[in-house]
Amino acid sequence: MPLVSDRDREAATVDLRSHYASGRLSLSELTERLQIALTARRRSDLSAALRELPWRDRPALHRRGAEMIRRGIFLATVVIGWAMVNVFLLVAFVAVAALHGLTLLEASLLPVAWLVTTIVAFRVAGRRR
């Protein structure tokens, strides 16, 4: 189960205060649930703090979860693309070596190409934060 961030805990406390202001929680319930939310480490802990409260008042947690899923899919796509390009480079390197041997220039191209694709992959992955 994924760990929650400070941002998730803050969203949960904002939601709890909103429920208190709407009259859905007493002061003692609010205090108890805030303590659970502020010490939460997992989503199940946050769910316990928000149990039996209407979902419509918790869009921030849903947006955050959807954002994390989209980010994970994007990063997986970048990693798969990077791996495919590097497998192609390795196969091409082995093919050239098997066909006519390697010069010093050709031997140095694989590490350089790998380094360039890795830097590009990191920049693409970091751009979408």
Side-chain angles (χ1 to χ4, degrees):
M1 174 136 322
L3 298 177
V4 295
S5 66
D6 289 338
R7 192 175 183 183
D8 295 329
R9 288 192 229 17
E10 181 61 30
T13 60
V14 167
D15 290 340
L16 287 170
R17 289 183 190 116
S18 171
H19 286 294
Y20 173 72
S22 299
R24 292 187 194 99
L25 296 174
S26 67
L27 183 57
S28 62
E29 275 184 307
L30 173 67
T31 305
E32 180 182 326
R33 288 176 185 243
L34 282 174
Q35 183 177 6
I36 293 169
L38 290 172
T39 59
R41 293 191 35 88
R42 303 194 184 286
R43 290 237 176 257
S44 59
D45 300 335
L46 277 184
S47 295
L50 299 167
R51 187 176 310 131
E52 299 176 359
L53 295 172
W55 278 100
R56 70 181 189 284
D57 292 342
R58 293 188 270 167
L61 286 178
H62 288 305
R63 280 194 307 274
R64 180 79 171 134
E67 176 185 321
M68 289 174 63
I69 289 170
R70 280 192 303 274
R71 175 87 173 134
I73 290 170
F74 175 75
L75 289 177
T77 304
V78 169
V79 168
I80 290 169
W82 173 85
M84 289 174 58
V85 167
N86 281 289
V87 166
F88 173 77
L89 287 170
L90 183 60
V91 168
F93 179 77
V94 170
V96 167
L99 289 175
H100 66 79
L102 291 175
T103 65
L104 182 60
L105 175 65
E106 291 169 337
S108 64
L109 285 179
L110 179 66
V112 170
W114 176 82
L115 184 62
V116 168
T117 60
T118 303
I119 290 170
V120 168
F122 270 101
R123 287 195 176 187
V124 167
R127 187 180 307 152
R128 182 130 182 230
R129 285 188 181 189

